[in-house]
Amino acid sequence: MIDKRFDLAAAVADVKDGATVLVGGFGAAGSPIELLHALFDQGAKRLTIVSNNTGSGNVGLAALIKHGRVAKAICSFPRTANSTVFQDKYRAGEIELELVPQGTLAERLRAGGAGIPAFYTATGAGTRLAEGKETRRFGDREFVLEYGLRADFALIKCRRADRLGNLVYNKTARNFAPIMAIAAATTIVQTESYVEAGEIDPEVVVTPGVFVDRIVTIPNAAQESTLVAAGASYP
Amino acid sequence: MSETTQRSMGWSRREIARNIARDIPDGSVVNLGIGMPELVASCIPPDREVLFHTENGLLGMGPPPQPGEADPELINAGKQPVTAIPGAAYFHHADSFAMVRGGHIDICVLGAMQVSERGDLANWSMGEGDAAPAVGGAMDLVAGVRTIFIAMTHCASDGTPKIVERCTYPLTGAAVVSRIYTDLAILEVRAGELGVVELAPGVDFATLQRQTQAKLVMPRVPRTA
């Protein structure tokens, strides 16, 4: 019988040093705080993190970066008003940055997850972010070759999940989660609530269970924005 | 502080937003950048229905929530709490940027650090080596949205012209800007020239040209405020 439920610690136990980990969330919305803190406790280091931002305050992703666990960030906007953690590490030369336009980042994940090795996009053509990349003209426009992105793990958050891994999200906390779920070898989900198979209408399933490997039920999950506003720090 | 009393001549930030809103047709789907562009949402004339897209996954973005009603999982691209209007839709980032990159968004309003006379836009990096660069969705928006409006002050805070022959900051996109709305004028990028559509009250062409590094062209019949 298929049952993807895991305990929190067990869900992230096999993340190895040097792994590439996709982390859902846009700003604080959708940030899988409990999974990130479990990964912190687990101890993996030299991680490559793929995420739109680089965390806020001193919790979650920012805590991993602050404590030197992240070797490289692939992201579109490594800045937040309330955190200098990434900037400090970057200035000190202690973290590598691959800056990717947000839509290109999304499409690289979608393509990677769909088995498409590369694609052409007009985004970034003629700019510094296209330097050194292959370009090709289609019609009267220049396009840039970008590569699909796959990872070892994805850590994402959803609102409801069932035993088979079907997922429904909450508002703009959805953001990167569905395309990270498809792009990771092992997708780990923290869900606000767990329901029986059949309780999610098949017409409204956003991420079908085939893309999900592990489900951890975390009711009343912490909101990253609330933790940051309270000045929280992890550990 | 009243925005209208900050300057002795020209338009206030609110008036710039109003000028942009006036040029957004009924039925448009619009993406607003962070900062001054956000003011445009509240300036849309009441007889027009305009849908706002925010690239973090919402079409049908409404105004900020009432105090105490903010939802940390309902935010805009600037990470500020927003609301969703009746008929709104949520979607993931690949769908959101399919809307952007696939040409499904009609108009995008962005801020700028520099705009060139051929419509090149620089608004993501000062090109300094110190701070980590951040690009977000700006390059996707200018590459994919059909019409790009720029909302900005005509000059930088030190008086340096921001409308230039060639951008010296790193480009966000080449030849992407349609119109520039500043405190001093509304300008239009046309084939090979930068035309003045309208001058702000108290601003004459010679004054405008002095504060613009690129060469401006005055049309025969300019729109008046």
Side-chain angles (χ1 to χ4, degrees):
Chain A
M1 191 174 96
I2 300 168
D3 190 348
K4 298 181 176 178
R5 286 177 289 178
F6 272 68
D7 291 337
L8 180 55
V12 298
D14 57 349
V15 179
K16 294 186 171 58
D17 292 353
T20 297
V21 183
L22 313 176
V23 178
F26 180 94
S31 173
I33 282 286
E34 283 78 6
L35 289 179
L36 287 165
H37 289 168
L39 180 59
F40 188 100
D41 296 344
Q42 185 262 22
K45 51 187 186 293
R46 299 197 312 278
L47 299 170
T48 292
I49 295 288
V50 182
S51 191
N52 188 63
N53 306 100
T54 47
S56 48
N58 294 292
V59 297
L61 180 52
L64 284 165
I65 293 169
K66 182 178 177 180
H67 290 274
R69 306 276 289 279
V70 180
K72 179 178 180 181
I74 300 175
C75 78
S76 90
F77 205 84
R79 257 184 229 163
T80 49
N82 54 32
S83 182
T84 60
V85 166
F86 178 86
Q87 299 285 339
D88 295 343
K89 288 282 179 194
Y90 183 80
R91 238 175 254 128
E94 293 171 4
I95 195 164
E96 187 186 342
L97 170 65
E98 180 179 339
L99 189 71
V100 182
Q102 200 172 130
T104 296
L105 183 62
E107 189 62 16
R108 288 181 63 188
L109 291 163
R110 197 200 67 80
I116 295 169
F119 57 92
Y120 284 100
T121 177
T123 297
T127 76
R128 180 177 284 189
L129 294 191
E131 283 172 15
K133 293 179 179 171
E134 282 183 53
T135 58
R136 183 168 164 181
R137 295 192 80 80
F138 294 90
D140 61 353
R141 274 188 97 174
E142 185 178 276
F143 294 78
V144 182
L145 184 69
E146 298 280 1
Y147 291 91
L149 189 53
R150 293 184 72 96
D152 301 307
F153 293 90
L155 307 184
I156 61 173
K157 181 183 184 182
C158 77
R159 183 180 194 179
R160 262 183 300 150
D162 67 17
R163 181 171 58 79
L164 301 171
N166 295 305
L167 309 181
V168 175
Y169 300 91
N170 187 42
K171 305 188 181 86
T172 59
R174 179 184 310 191
N175 57 67
F176 281 89
I179 50 176
M180 288 181 167
I182 72 171
T186 302
T187 292
I188 308 169
V189 182
Q190 70 167 77
T191 181
E192 189 72 22
S193 71
Y194 174 81
V195 297
E196 295 305 318
E199 286 188 41
I200 302 174
D201 180 349
E203 289 284 6
V204 304
V205 168
V206 177
T207 294
V210 71
F211 298 122
V212 172
D213 299 283
R214 300 172 188 172
I215 298 161
V216 183
T217 305
I218 313 267
N220 306 309
Q223 287 290 346
E224 183 177 297
S225 54
T226 309
L227 294 177
V228 171
S233 191
Y234 197 87
Chain B
M1 182 167 62
S2 164
E3 288 183 330
T4 53
T5 58
Q6 285 178 355
R7 281 191 192 85
S8 55
M9 70 173 190
W11 286 306
S12 68
R13 287 164 57 86
R14 181 98 201 149
E15 286 165 334
I16 294 171
R18 181 211 60 192
N19 290 342
I20 294 169
R22 197 173 54 182
D23 289 346
I24 296 176
D26 183 35
S28 299
V29 179
V30 177
N31 181 294
L32 300 177
I34 297 164
M36 202 191 313
E38 291 177 277
L39 297 174
V40 171
S42 60
C43 297
I44 299 294
D47 61 340
R48 293 183 206 174
E49 184 172 34
V50 172
L51 277 182
F52 290 103
H53 169 266
T54 182
E55 60 266 30
N56 56 316
L58 168 59
L59 181 63
M61 179 174 66
Q66 296 298 313
E69 290 181 8
D71 179 341
E73 298 201 329
L74 179 47
I75 61 173
N76 65 12
K79 284 115 182 163
Q80 297 304 307
V82 294
T83 53
I85 64 165
Y90 299 115
F91 34 82
H92 61 62
H93 252 80
D95 277 354
S96 186
F97 279 90
M99 294 177 195
V100 171
R101 294 148 68 112
H104 306 281
I105 308 291
D106 299 308
I107 296 170
C108 178
V109 186
L110 293 169
M113 299 192 289
Q114 284 177 333
V115 184
S116 83
E117 61 189 8
R118 61 187 286 263
D120 295 346
L121 171 65
N123 76 346
W124 71 282
S125 166
M126 305 278 282
E128 293 163 356
D130 191 19
V135 66
M139 287 187 184
D140 305 285
L141 287 161
V142 300
V145 176
R146 286 193 286 270
T147 301
I148 303 294
F149 288 165
I150 298 300
M152 67 177 193
T153 57
H154 203 86
C155 297
S157 52
D158 66 356
T160 308
K162 293 165 71 172
I163 300 169
V164 294
E165 283 180 30
R166 285 177 66 90
C167 295
T168 54
Y169 292 139
L171 291 191
T172 308
V176 294
V177 173
S178 297
R179 283 188 168 209
I180 310 165
Y181 297 79
T182 79
D183 47 328
L184 302 185
I186 301 171
L187 306 175
E188 188 165 63
V189 181
R190 307 189 190 111
E193 64 179 40
L194 200 50
V196 178
V197 176
E198 186 172 335
L199 291 165
V203 178
D204 59 33
F205 182 81
T207 306
L208 184 70
Q209 183 62 76
R210 272 200 304 278
Q211 300 195 43
T212 310
Q213 196 222 334
K215 186 176 182 299
L216 300 174
V217 176
M218 194 70 189
R220 283 181 291 276
V221 187
R223 188 161 88 177
T224 51

